[in-house]
Amino acid sequence: MSGKVTNDPGGSGDGGDSSKGTQELDAAFFARWMTAAADAVAREADRLTELDSAIGDADHGGNMRRGFEAVREELGEDVPATPGAVLMTAGRKLVSTVGGASGPLYGTLLRRTGKALGTGEQVGREELAGALRTGIEAVAQLGGAAVGDKTMLDALFPAVEALADSSGKDFEAARTAAERGAEETVPLQARKGRASYLGERSIGHEDPGATSAALLVAALAEAEAAGAGESDSGGSE
């Protein structure tokens, strides 16, 4: 892995969580994020497929698991030197391995976020929040969708708003917002994607894309917790 984990999620004892806004995140953190996402998708793949069977092609769980396992393997062999490069590598791998619309959408999200992060070896939390917004807006443009259309954006936009409101400090708030956003797709009628063909029959089902997007956001918080554990045990030395 390139470099050591320099972000200390618990602070240095002189401010606790309030110091998170000044902490920078390195490539190791972003590799942990992608690995945590792969773990989450693997755990929830059957549920994602079940959700997709109601309003889609019943392949979302399998496709996402295959894609993120490929990302895990790629980063297991070599972690790029910068946060931006980690996300761009992951995005390219998802495009090449995930079938259907999910590959291009998730690939765009990670690649555009990575590009927005630039070439620095470390990035600030506010910088990550801004880059994520850039990536999410690129997804919206690619899919021609907006919040309320019953898509992954219903989880992603609330998450990035919560992250921005905390100046990038509160990954748990982003997680909560994303999970709530996914749940709130249940009463919506799909206006984009395969589910839109069902019309009113899409009402009453949670959107699988929003659900997998919430898993990706939740993995941010999990990556932070894993980093805290490494720091407590001396793993970042």
Side-chain angles (χ1 to χ4, degrees), residues 34-237:
M34 293 298 99
T35 298
D39 290 341
V41 169
R43 289 194 306 267
E44 298 295 329
D46 289 345
R47 178 170 178 252
L48 293 175
T49 293
E50 182 180 358
L51 292 173
D52 196 35
S53 68
I55 58 175
D57 296 323
D59 60 0
H60 189 60
N63 285 343
M64 292 294 289
R65 176 166 51 194
R66 180 173 61 253
F68 273 97
E69 282 303 318
V71 169
R72 186 204 302 275
E73 292 176 8
E74 181 88 1
L75 296 178
E77 294 176 1
D78 179 44
V79 176
T82 68
V86 171
L87 294 189
M88 292 182 74
T89 295
R92 286 193 296 268
K93 183 59 67 172
L94 290 178
V95 169
S96 67
T97 57
V98 178
S102 297
L105 292 171
Y106 275 95
T108 294
L109 172 64
L110 295 182
R111 288 189 298 175
R112 289 297 294 272
T113 300
K115 183 177 180 180
L117 289 176
T119 59
E121 292 187 359
Q122 297 180 345
V123 300
R125 288 168 177 262
E126 284 189 272
E127 188 178 358
L128 172 57
L132 271 173
R133 185 180 295 278
T134 297
I136 293 166
E137 289 174 347
V139 170
Q141 183 175 16
L142 177 64
V147 172
D149 285 342
K150 202 182 182 90
T151 71
M152 62 195 293
L153 298 179
D154 289 304
L156 291 175
F157 269 119
V160 79
E161 290 289 347
L163 197 60
D165 286 346
S166 68
S167 298
K169 300 175 187 177
D170 198 341
F171 293 156
E172 280 293 344
R175 174 182 194 159
T176 298
E179 291 173 349
R180 182 182 301 117
E183 292 168 0
E184 290 177 353
T185 64
V186 172
L188 299 178
Q189 178 173 328
R191 292 197 286 265
K192 295 292 179 180
R194 172 69 177 79
S196 66
Y197 301 152
L198 299 178
E200 291 184 357
R201 286 181 294 162
S202 65
I203 296 173
H205 302 281
E206 185 171 323
D207 182 67
T211 305
S212 61
L215 293 177
L216 180 63
V217 175
L220 264 177
E222 292 166 9
E224 180 175 61
E230 289 181 7
S231 178
D232 291 344
S233 64
S236 64
E237 295 177 358

